[in-house]
């Protein structure tokens, strides 16, 4: 596996592979790899000639009071894990490499950002779309792998690829969970021990909601109330949002029908966690 940290080296290698007709699978991450990331890597490995993993904690997508400085990082461990998964390239640029001067052009996301994390993290998806535009030009992937844990991100990136005519196929990958149901996340390490136990309530409440829907509940307000009650009873976390929309359009619903997303964000002492379920109702 080659570890590259400059854009020029990366582009030179990718142009060479493209010219020889190789497919390139790309897994963009912020590092501190876990089983979720590795599942994306494994899928990319199966489906492409060349696999590229990027690790870049992108300052542009963090708000002023968010966890950019405390975001967990462990490059040596990540490098070993990527090597074990047979990645061909690990792209690991510095902030200065990616943003050498104040940007004269950035990307603004206009749709699907007035809800969920877009609403509670203003500017977050502009930062995501801007860095992905750069990374797509650097890596030139055939297929790009994204986790459904960040379901709004998947919807936003679909829009980015379509609107900017990137010749890239977005491959969404199911959420990978711990044994107790907690969605794997680099941020879980910042949960206090008692909070780690409580955090299983997020997925439990989504399961409860899902079975209520399966038993015929169609009112989104009743579903969000049910989730809120469970989170408030079982955890010390503050609910940031519990929202239900059509997916991937992210439009509000009066009655649950078609493909929907039930998504939540909750704040523990040092960490904000998200989770969701996407389901289709006849
Ligand atoms: P991150 O490093 O958190 O930016 O995540 C990089 C990629 O891994 C994103 O596409 C995430 O959606 C995906 N990812 C993170 N956690 C999980 C998980 N538990 N299951 C599946 N994909 C995940």
């Amino acid at each position: 596996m080659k570890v590259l940290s400059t854009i020029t080296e990366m582009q030179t290698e990718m142009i060479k592979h493209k010219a020889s007709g190789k497919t390139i699978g790309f897994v963009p991450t912020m590092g501190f790899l876990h089983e979720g990331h590795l599942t994306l890597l494994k899928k990319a490995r199966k489906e492409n000639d060349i696999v590229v993993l990027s690790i870049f904690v992108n300052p542009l997508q963090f708000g002023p009071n968010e966890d950019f400085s405390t975001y967990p990082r462990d490059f040596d461990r990540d490098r070993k894990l990527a090597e074990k998964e047979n990645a061909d390239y690990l792209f690991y640029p510095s902030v200065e490499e990616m943003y050498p001067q104040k940007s004269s052009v950035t990307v603004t996301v206009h749709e699907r950002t007035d809800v969920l994390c877009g609403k509670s993290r203003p500017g977050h998806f502009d930062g995501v779309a801007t860095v992905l535009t750069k990374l797509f030009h650097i890596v030139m992937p055939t297929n790009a792998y994204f986790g459904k844990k960040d379901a709004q991100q998947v919807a936003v990136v679909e829009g980015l690829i379509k609107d900017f005519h990137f010749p890239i196929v977005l491959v969404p990958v199911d959420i990978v969970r711990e044994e107790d149901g907690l969605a794997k996340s680099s941020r879980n390490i910042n949960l206090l021990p008692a909070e780690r136990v409580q955090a299983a309530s997020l997925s439990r409440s989504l399961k409860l909601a899902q079975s209520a829907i399966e038993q015929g509940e169609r009112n989104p307000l009743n579903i969000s109330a049910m989730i809120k009650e469970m989170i408030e009873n079982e955890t010390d976390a503050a609910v940031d949002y519990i929202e239900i929309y059509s997916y991937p359009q992210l439009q509000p619903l009066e009655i649950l029908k078609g493909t929907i997303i039930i998504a939540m964000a909750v704040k523990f002492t040092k960490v904000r966690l998200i989770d969701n379920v996407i389901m289709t109702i006849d």
Side-chain angles (χ1 to χ4, degrees):
M1 183 180 76
K2 284 190 185 175
V3 180
L4 302 179
S5 52
T6 72
I7 293 168
T8 313
E9 282 173 302
M10 198 65 209
Q11 280 177 325
T12 309
E13 297 268 331
M14 296 302 113
I15 287 168
K16 198 180 67 192
H17 291 305
K18 292 289 247 197
S20 60
K22 299 258 168 68
T23 55
I24 299 170
F26 179 36
V27 181
T29 79
M30 298 201 297
F32 210 70
L33 302 180
H34 54 67
E35 206 54 46
H37 300 117
L38 302 185
T39 303
L40 269 61
L41 267 181
K42 285 188 172 80
K43 195 162 166 57
R45 183 67 284 169
K46 264 201 206 116
E47 298 175 354
N48 300 274
D49 300 319
I50 301 291
V51 171
V52 179
L53 169 76
S54 69
I55 294 181
F56 181 61
V57 185
N58 174 34
L60 222 60
Q61 71 192 64
F62 287 78
N65 297 317
E66 293 181 3
D67 57 350
F68 176 71
S69 60
T70 56
Y71 195 86
R73 294 159 168 93
D74 188 343
F75 181 70
D76 284 340
R77 181 175 158 274
D78 287 351
R79 185 170 40 73
K80 287 183 193 125
L81 287 170
E83 205 142 34
K84 217 165 125 209
E85 296 303 332
N86 292 318
D88 298 295
Y89 293 90
L90 200 177
F91 181 49
Y92 181 55
S94 64
V95 172
E96 295 70 35
E97 180 70 10
M98 291 296 280
Y99 301 107
Q101 68 269 316
K102 194 176 180 314
S103 305
S104 62
V105 180
T106 56
V107 179
T108 307
V109 182
H110 299 286
E111 290 205 347
R112 308 188 184 100
T113 50
D114 53 345
V115 296
L116 305 171
C117 291
K119 193 166 68 188
S120 52
R121 303 184 68 188
H124 169 69
F125 286 111
D126 293 349
V128 169
T130 299
V131 81
L132 283 176
T133 300
K134 285 169 172 273
L135 289 169
F136 286 167
H137 286 304
I138 296 165
V139 177
M140 303 168 217
T142 319
N143 301 300
Y145 295 80
F146 289 88
K148 292 192 208 166
K149 164 147 182 295
D150 302 279
Q152 188 173 17
Q153 173 170 275
V154 170
V156 166
V157 178
E158 284 281 10
L160 174 72
I161 288 178
K162 190 159 172 253
D163 286 348
F164 283 7
H165 315 290
F166 284 107
I168 298 172
V169 175
L170 189 163
V171 185
V173 179
D174 286 345
I175 301 178
V176 179
R177 297 179 179 281
E178 303 285 355
E179 252 172 43
D180 65 358
L182 175 64
K184 299 232 182 198
S185 165
S186 309
R187 288 185 165 101
N188 290 347
I189 194 157
N190 288 334
L191 287 165
L192 304 178
E195 292 176 339
R196 170 61 192 85
V197 178
Q198 296 175 2
S201 293
L202 275 72
S203 65
R204 252 201 316 273
S205 69
L206 288 173
K207 273 218 176 103
L208 179 76
Q210 205 171 358
S211 59
I213 294 170
E214 277 157 12
Q215 280 158 35
E217 178 64 67
R218 291 293 179 268
N219 185 337
L221 297 177
N222 293 344
I223 295 293
S224 20
M226 184 183 292
I227 295 173
K228 189 161 185 277
E229 193 187 334
M230 188 174 219
I231 299 290
E232 287 178 348
N233 285 340
E234 296 186 2
T235 77
D236 301 317
V239 171
D240 182 356
Y241 65 72
I242 296 162
E243 293 175 22
I244 304 176
Y245 296 107
S246 61
Y247 192 84
Q249 303 82 1
L250 302 184
Q251 293 300 312
L253 295 160
E254 278 178 24
I255 297 255
L256 300 176
K257 200 173 165 25
T259 301
I260 64 156
I261 181 166
I262 309 173
M264 63 166 73
V266 307
K267 283 183 179 161
F268 287 92
T269 310
K270 290 191 288 183
V271 55
R272 175 180 172 280
L273 297 185
I274 58 171
D275 200 352
N276 73 77
V277 63
I278 296 172
M279 63 187 292
T280 300
I281 305 159
D282 295 335

